[in-house]
Amino acid sequence: MRLDKIIKKLELEVLANKNIENNVDGVYIGDLLSLVMANANENNLWITIQTHLNVIAVATLVGLSAVLIAEGMEVEDETIKKANEVGIPVLRSKLSAYELACRLYELGV
Amino acid sequence: MRLTYDLHIHSALSPCGDEDMTPNNIVNMAYIKGLDIISVTDHNTVQNVEVIMKVAKKRDILVIPGIEVTTKEEVHILCYFRNTEDSKEFQDFIYRGLPNIKNNEKLFGRQLLMDENDNIIGKVDKFLLNSTKYTIKEINDLVNRLNGALVPAHVDKKSYSILANLGFIPNELNIKTVEVSSNYFSLSTKILNSLNGYNILKNSDAHYLGDINEPVMFLDLEKKDINSLIEYLNKSWRNKG
């Protein structure tokens, strides 16, 4: 499913908007970046509460379609800056990872 | 000069620290074990450090003011300072960044302040094991401003470790020294590769007296003083591959 469609349906806040027409193929949830590096798959939408700059590096490394920050966590400016530089979409929602996962499942992601 | 060390010890002020971890017990155990340099690094506080420095003078053990901070990313970071004033300034900042949650003594243990005779002189109210609201970068910036040294703790562990939580060590922090918890020879190849070019310390992270380091780890310092140790921790040792 296309990311822009997900953004619309889940009313996600867009913090970094490069490549939001990316295709999303599956979801990965996790806050330990070492595990995300090991276990997430290419084109996954990644739901996390981590906001450190390394999030963007990991997303690039794995080839994730986007990073979705749950629970309305505050995101560092440099993380957004880096995301725009390398073209990783960063989205945010007030919902928890669980609620987001349920909504994504209903959408058929 | 080659000096033995243990730069990561918890006193009874850490809720998880055994109540036998009193100033005199820690210093005397370090003395019996033959350690030259120690640091007491309680969670997000330095309030037992000064008294331990005082007690250690009698034993000719060098104590470096230290603290184990929990960053917003839930990474444990050891921070060391040149004097108690700097460490207190740093601690005040850290303490302000802890959430206002009281310690539950039954669940976590007491957070005890002690004097040089091991008397309990008070307790810390806020629960010290929480994460502060500061990012690793904000903490690093303040340590640098105070001319201290920052060392990521037990990087080989699966929790509260910079490698587990952040996947790799961010270059812009300019970190030179890291701490491992296990023997160098039992580290996985993956961990060893991540640590290529870093200076590596092995401390005990002792919560009980018996766990304090044996005198088998060495530092090579110019002099047995705090400044030499800070310089050592902030020095580039090898070219990073």
Side-chain angles (χ1 to χ4, degrees):
Chain A
M1 185 177 292
R2 270 179 53 152
L3 186 60
D4 42 12
K5 186 176 168 187
I6 294 172
I7 292 170
K8 216 169 170 163
K9 289 276 188 201
L10 269 56
E11 296 172 337
L12 303 176
E13 183 186 357
V14 180
L15 303 177
N17 65 357
K18 294 267 162 57
N19 299 324
I20 53 173
E21 59 292 330
N22 274 354
N23 209 31
V24 172
D25 191 8
V27 176
Y28 187 85
I29 302 177
D31 303 318
L32 283 182
L33 274 57
S34 55
L35 277 188
V36 180
M37 284 201 284
N39 301 329
N41 295 316
E42 209 177 338
N43 298 327
N44 275 179
L45 171 62
W46 172 24
I47 305 174
T48 183
I49 52 163
Q50 280 265 29
T51 57
H52 187 268
L53 185 63
N54 279 14
V55 162
I56 306 305
V58 169
T60 312
L61 207 70
V62 181
L64 298 166
S65 58
V67 178
L68 170 49
I69 309 291
E71 303 197 34
M73 299 296 271
E74 200 175 317
V75 184
E76 288 89 313
D77 291 343
E78 53 195 0
T79 305
I80 306 293
K81 197 166 141 237
K82 192 74 181 174
N84 281 320
E85 257 171 49
V86 299
I88 294 280
V90 178
L91 318 161
R92 181 163 62 183
S93 167
K94 293 238 178 321
L95 300 176
S96 71
Y98 170 71
E99 289 164 318
L100 287 165
C102 291
R103 302 283 300 276
L104 286 162
Y105 179 76
E106 283 164 14
L107 276 184
V109 177
Chain B
M1 53 198 306
R2 265 164 56 102
L3 298 162
T4 53
Y5 70 90
D6 188 349
L7 300 180
H8 187 169
I9 298 170
H10 289 272
S11 83
L13 179 49
S14 291
C16 45
D18 189 44
E19 295 200 0
D20 284 342
M21 295 300 259
T22 65
N24 288 280
N25 283 352
I26 290 171
V27 167
N28 288 328
M29 182 56 91
Y31 177 75
I32 290 165
K33 291 205 180 201
L35 297 179
D36 298 308
I37 312 173
I38 62 169
S39 183
V40 170
T41 49
D42 284 313
H43 289 287
N44 301 310
T45 179
V46 298
Q47 291 181 78
N48 271 347
V49 168
E50 211 163 357
V51 66
I52 288 165
M53 289 171 91
K54 210 185 264 177
V55 171
K57 274 209 174 78
K58 295 175 221 160
R59 294 293 195 191
D60 192 31
I61 292 172
L62 176 67
V63 181
I64 177 166
I67 184 169
E68 184 175 21
V69 176
T70 314
T71 71
K72 177 183 160 189
E73 301 89 354
E74 298 207 342
V75 172
H76 282 180
I77 298 285
L78 299 163
C79 305
Y80 301 106
F81 299 94
R82 290 174 193 261
N83 55 57
T84 50
E85 289 75 30
D86 290 351
S87 74
K88 280 184 196 153
E89 182 182 335
F90 182 78
Q91 174 208 264
D92 291 342
F93 168 79
I94 292 298
Y95 197 75
R96 281 199 303 275
L98 276 174
N100 263 321
I101 296 173
K102 272 183 106 79
N103 180 27
N104 179 328
E105 293 191 342
K106 280 202 181 64
L107 271 180
F108 300 108
R110 297 195 293 173
Q111 301 179 154
L112 303 174
L113 298 165
M114 294 185 173
D115 69 9
E116 57 197 290
N117 300 316
D118 292 356
N119 298 309
I120 297 169
I121 51 170
K123 288 195 269 189
V124 171
D125 264 352
K126 260 191 196 180
F127 181 47
L128 294 170
L129 280 186
N130 268 317
S131 296
T132 61
K133 65 178 185 193
Y134 309 118
T135 64
I136 191 167
K137 184 175 179 300
E138 287 169 324
I139 288 164
N140 191 48
D141 288 349
L142 184 57
V143 172
N144 287 339
R145 200 166 58 75
L146 294 166
N147 289 316
L150 179 143
V151 177
H154 40 67
V155 299
D156 50 319
K157 281 198 172 161
K158 293 216 171 14
S159 55
Y160 297 118
S161 117
I162 196 167
L163 289 182
N165 292 32
L166 293 182
F168 56 92
I169 300 172
N171 244 338
E172 70 274 9
L173 295 177
N174 213 357
I175 286 167
K176 299 290 192 291
T177 302
V178 298
E179 177 202 68
V180 296
S181 64
S182 34
N183 276 328
Y184 193 76
F185 301 104
S186 57
L187 294 174
S188 70
T189 314
K190 192 170 155 236
I191 297 272
L192 278 175
N193 283 341
S194 307
L195 301 185
N196 183 19
Y198 291 95
N199 179 33
I200 297 176
L201 296 179
K202 188 186 173 301
N203 299 314
S204 69
D205 194 1
H207 290 69
Y208 296 88
L209 283 170
D211 295 340
I212 291 174
N213 264 8
E214 297 298 329
V216 291
M217 304 302 302
F218 297 91
L219 292 175
D220 205 353
L221 299 189
E222 295 277 314
K223 281 211 301 266
K224 186 176 161 181
D225 66 15
I226 291 180
N227 286 343
S228 302
L229 180 60
I230 298 267
E231 302 305 325
Y232 175 95
L233 298 175
N234 285 335
K235 192 166 127 185
S236 281
W237 288 88
R238 298 180 291 274
N239 289 331
K240 285 184 197 162

